[in-house]
Amino acid sequence: MIEYGYIMKRITIITTGGTIGSELSRGALRPTADISGLLTTATGQGAPDAEYRFIPLMNKLSENMTGGGTVRIVRAAMDALEKSDGVILTHGTDTLEYTAAALSYAFGLSCPPVVLASAVLPPSHPHSDAPVCLAACAAVAASDMRGVFACFASGERVTVSRASRLLPYLPYSGERFTLGAPFAYVTGNAVLPCPDYSERPDELPPADISALALPSDVLPVLPVPSCALPSPDGKRAVAFISFHSGTLPTARADFADYCRHCLERGVKLYAVCSSPSVLYESAEALSGLGITVLPRMTPASALTRLRLGLDLRLSLGGDILCD
Ligand code: GLU
């Protein structure tokens, strides 16, 4: 007779701060809230049979996240996975996509689930999205899904995104989109895959992300009209953040001069948020200015890749959008 033993899932929750860990104190939101009660109740709803372990790693508003902080978070998640079947990380929304990208590159697609939880309203607010998001994260962390994810709650519906596909929140709106379709939705405890989602398998091994703690030699540049372009001195690469149609101001004399200046100093040029299939004449002119167009991926993933020196054509953590 074969006996099927029930194996209780072990989930580690690592807290780092953000709105999800904030409380109103002396007139401002501060990341000092004790959320142990919330974590126990909410995650217990998402995966009631799991065994939970809590690691309070840091108390940071994520606008203050540094490369060193990102590396600490990734290492804590790695250590946690040695003793757990899934990891939940709480994080502020402002820079979540950067931590998410670093985790995606450190783990790739084959690790047990690592999932980022966040909220736009603090836990003490009567309409806080924190409990629903945490419950969904617990359901994902206890599942057989592989790789790194981020959950976002809107009412009772939760979107599960590949962590390497997160676009920044739109200013003022509290809206976040992902590049391409979301990975799944969570309703109650059920994680329902999104049929439109597709990803390339890992074509690179998981990366050593420790270089993110070093001073950066990658300069992100947003070349908006009538604003100065920053000095590239001492940098290895300039990453131009393209406008929404995938274009850059290639017919602007100051932009062309800037590109020449960079190339003369050995600074490599990249276009982020563009793609080789953009049809405008300004995009056609990119290669003539020495600009390499990156595959379709988010700004956070592109900048993190450039920092880490990863091969820019090969997918890792599901980051490159399948065309
Ligand atoms: N400034 C907060 C943070 O990123 C706000 C964003 C949030 O968590 O909603 O930590």
Side-chain angles (χ1 to χ4, degrees), residues 53-247:
R53 188 166 68 103
F54 302 99
I55 299 181
L57 186 70
M58 57 179 86
N59 260 7
K60 230 185 218 311
L61 289 173
S62 75
E63 54 270 40
N64 300 318
M65 191 57 67
T66 58
T70 308
V71 171
R72 260 185 81 199
I73 293 173
V74 171
R75 288 199 179 132
M78 280 180 168
D79 290 348
L81 270 192
E82 309 248 313
K83 299 186 206 127
S84 333
D85 304 302
V87 170
I88 300 173
L89 270 156
T90 65
H91 200 289
T93 55
D94 280 341
T95 60
L96 185 141
E97 63 269 27
Y98 290 90
T99 301
L103 287 161
S104 303
Y105 295 139
F107 287 108
L109 291 173
S110 33
C111 65
V114 174
V115 54
L116 284 145
S118 61
V120 291
L121 292 171
S124 59
H125 192 285
H127 300 127
S128 176
D129 42 337
V132 175
C133 182
L134 283 165
C137 286
V140 172
S143 75
D144 294 328
M145 292 160 65
R146 308 295 286 180
V148 189
F149 303 94
C151 288
F152 300 98
S154 172
E156 290 305 306
R157 185 174 160 98
V158 182
T159 306
V160 185
S161 301
R162 244 316 157 216
S164 58
R165 301 265 187 109
L166 303 179
L167 292 165
Y169 264 93
L170 292 179
Y172 300 116
S173 78
E175 285 242 42
R176 185 190 295 273
F177 295 96
T178 59
L179 191 62
F183 189 90
Y185 296 101
V186 181
T187 316
N189 292 2
V191 185
L192 309 168
C194 178
D196 298 331
Y197 181 83
S198 63
E199 67 189 6
R200 280 158 57 176
D202 282 344
E203 296 156 335
L204 290 170
D208 174 1
I209 54 87
S210 50
L212 295 178
L214 303 175
S216 177
D217 53 5
V218 174
L219 181 66
V221 173
L222 192 62
V224 294
S226 64
C227 282
L229 294 163
S231 166
D233 291 351
K235 299 294 178 253
R236 176 172 53 90
V238 161
F240 292 117
I241 312 295
S242 310
F243 299 121
H244 82 94
S245 65
T247 60

Side-chain angles (χ1 to χ4, degrees), residues 229-297:
L229 294 163
S231 166
D233 291 351
K235 299 294 178 253
R236 176 172 53 90
V238 161
F240 292 117
I241 312 295
S242 310
F243 299 121
H244 82 94
S245 65
T247 60
L248 286 166
T250 47
R252 247 172 59 189
D254 65 327
F255 184 80
D257 285 347
Y258 183 77
C259 291
R260 262 191 300 279
H261 176 84
C262 290
L263 293 173
E264 280 163 15
R265 280 155 186 74
V267 179
K268 294 213 160 45
L269 304 175
Y270 298 95
V272 174
C273 294
S274 187
S275 101
S277 54
V278 173
L279 286 176
Y280 295 98
E281 63 178 12
S282 40
E284 192 183 47
L286 290 170
S287 63
L289 290 175
I291 301 172
T292 301
V293 176
L294 296 188
R296 281 154 68 88
M297 66 179 84

